[in-house]
Amino acid sequence: MTIMRQAWAITRQDFRSNPYALLWTVLFIMYMGVTMSFVVSMQLGESGALNPAADSVMLVLIPFLGFIYNRRTFKYLQEDSYTHMLAFLRILPIPVSAVIMSRIQQAVLAFIVNSVVFFILIFTISDTLRVYTGTGFFVSFALTWIGYGMLIQAIYIHLEFLKNGKAYFWLSLVIMLVCGIIAIVVRIYGANLVSTTAYFSKEWQLLSPVMWGALAAGAIGMFVSYRMTLRRLMKRDLA
């Protein structure tokens, strides 16, 4: 059995053992989408021209589209659930590479499902983005941010496998803080990430260099995360 097939077996079992995870995930993403649609309107509207809120919120929230929200996700801090899961899987005849690949598969599936819900809500509710009509713009804008989300999600996956719950929590806060700082710096220099990606998506649509660059960065990030996590996880003490 190949690594991909072994990983898919783990992924299917994880979904079967958490039958309501997809429902809770979609509900949470719907909440994110509704909230974000108003923030984007404030960002791109005339009165919010100097407000970096949308950039910082998008930078923080988009990577969370790569999560399936189940009990393990919400209990990682109190119960160190990720470490316990790894300790359990290690005693089974399953290669570590399949475990990591399964997590990447779940991230990709989460991005597919969650992004459809999230971006449809944004484009439906936000007046400022709705003016950029066209399927090409919609797909290009969404894929641009998905590529970014995959890149940051790769970091989360690496930390998820290699750190305990408390360390993962604090490092996640650091990532969010860095995202906020980036949004502020971008605003200081007079730029705007949301409006810039919207502009390139409108002008270039599916040929947008920003979109393809973001997707390439996301794919490379996932590959590097897989390789680095595999090498270090083999040496991690899960006791």
Side-chain angles (χ1 to χ4, degrees):
M1 183 181 292
T2 64
I3 296 298
M4 291 296 292
R5 291 179 60 188
Q6 290 175 318
W8 182 243
I10 299 173
T11 300
R12 285 186 300 175
Q13 181 57 38
D14 203 34
F15 278 112
R16 289 172 181 170
S17 61
N18 297 277
Y20 298 106
L22 186 59
L23 174 62
W24 290 116
T25 299
V26 171
L27 289 175
F28 180 68
I29 297 302
M30 288 176 66
Y31 169 77
M32 284 176 51
V34 171
T35 302
M36 192 63 217
S37 65
F38 292 108
V39 178
V40 169
S41 295
M42 178 178 64
Q43 173 76 22
L44 296 181
E46 185 176 350
S47 62
L50 299 178
N51 194 327
D55 282 357
S56 59
V57 175
M58 286 285 277
L59 289 172
V60 170
L61 291 187
I62 291 298
F64 286 87
L65 298 179
F67 286 103
I68 298 293
Y69 294 93
N70 51 31
R71 186 180 184 278
R72 186 189 310 135
T73 306
F74 290 109
K75 292 290 185 178
Y76 77 89
L77 182 59
Q78 298 95 324
E79 301 177 0
D80 199 7
S81 54
Y82 292 138
T83 301
H84 291 164
M85 175 200 68
L86 289 173
F88 171 74
L89 292 174
R90 179 167 286 185
I91 66 176
L92 301 177
I94 301 173
V96 174
S97 56
V99 177
I100 302 172
M101 184 57 66
S102 172
R103 177 62 182 84
I104 293 175
Q105 288 178 349
Q106 292 182 43
V108 172
L109 290 173
F111 269 116
I112 293 173
V113 175
N114 294 341
S115 295
V116 170
V117 176
F118 181 80
F119 285 104
I120 283 179
L121 284 172
I122 287 182
F123 278 83
T124 301
I125 299 175
S126 174
D127 293 333
T128 50
L129 282 181
R130 200 160 54 236
V131 301
Y132 297 102
T133 57
T135 304
F137 167 77
F138 175 86
V139 175
S140 178
F141 183 85
L143 289 179
T144 299
W145 284 99
I146 290 172
Y148 157 77
M150 290 175 59
L151 177 62
I152 306 303
Q153 175 70 197
I155 300 175
Y156 281 117
I157 291 174
H158 184 70
L159 298 176
E160 187 179 303
F161 279 105
L162 297 176
K163 303 296 181 180
N164 60 39
K166 290 183 179 180
Y168 179 81
F169 171 76
W170 288 111
L171 289 171
S172 297
L173 290 183
V174 171
I175 293 174
M176 296 178 194
L177 178 61
V178 170
C179 290
I181 293 173
I182 291 174
I184 294 173
V185 171
V186 169
R187 173 57 61 199
I188 289 174
Y189 282 92
N192 181 307
L193 295 176
V194 174
S195 59
T196 298
T197 52
Y199 170 79
F200 275 94
S201 297
K202 177 179 180 295
E203 293 297 319
W204 294 82
Q205 300 196 20
L206 296 182
L207 296 178
S208 169
V210 176
M211 180 194 77
W212 287 109
L215 289 175
I220 293 172
M222 284 290 182
F223 175 77
V224 172
S225 178
Y226 170 81
R227 300 291 296 181
M228 292 181 62
T229 305
L230 177 61
R231 184 170 62 251
R232 296 187 59 185
L233 187 58
M234 298 289 290
K235 303 176 182 178
R236 184 186 174 189
D237 183 8
L238 298 175

